[in-house]
Amino acid sequence: MRDKLKEVAELTHRLKEKYPTEINAFMSFVSKAEAGPALSSREKELINIGISVAGQCEWCIAVHVKHAIKAGASRDEIVEAGFMAVVMHGGPALMYLVPLMKALDEFLPEEDA
């Protein structure tokens, strides 16, 4: 999953060089959308994890599991967020718990949980 994070960073860097207007507009939107005070950063990242699993985006899963851990989310909270995606999206989302578990195992080994 660290490779996925590296790919995201490389893509972002490349887009900033070639398409700065577009990527900067997107990043500005993300920053403003995430700035609301009603939900904590942890809660927002747990939501993002569920959406990442339902959206079947391994890169998003890597990014948001990493951010959720940094925001104080536990292993159980992250897995539960993944299961909420399965509730809403079914079997295909269940299969995306594979990269979710890989991200957790890499970024928050069970002995650290």
Side-chain angles (χ1 to χ4, degrees), residues 11-74:
L11 174 64
T12 303
H13 177 75
R14 186 174 182 188
L15 293 174
K16 283 183 178 182
E17 286 182 351
K18 299 283 186 179
Y19 304 97
T21 301
E22 294 86 343
I23 193 65
N24 288 334
F26 175 75
M27 297 307 287
S28 176
F29 168 74
V30 168
S31 176
K32 286 178 173 76
E34 291 179 343
L39 298 172
S40 69
S41 295
R42 184 183 62 73
E43 292 167 325
K44 289 174 187 176
E45 289 304 332
L46 291 169
I47 291 167
N48 288 342
I49 287 168
I51 293 168
S52 297
V53 169
Q56 302 173 338
C57 178
E58 292 185 39
W59 297 268
C60 301
I61 291 168
V63 167
H64 293 294
V65 167
K66 185 78 170 172
H67 288 171
I69 292 166
K70 185 177 178 184
S74 71

Side-chain angles (χ1 to χ4, degrees), residues 1-2 4 49 52-63 65-66 75 78-79 82 92-107:
M1 297 309 285
R2 283 181 172 80
K4 297 286 185 202
I49 287 168
S52 297
V53 169
Q56 302 173 338
C57 178
E58 292 185 39
W59 297 268
C60 301
I61 291 168
V63 167
V65 167
K66 185 78 170 172
R75 173 178 280 273
I78 292 168
V79 172
L94 181 65
M95 297 303 99
Y96 275 81
L97 291 184
V98 171
L100 178 107
M101 297 306 290
K102 284 182 181 179
L104 273 172
D105 290 343
E106 193 166 326
F107 301 139

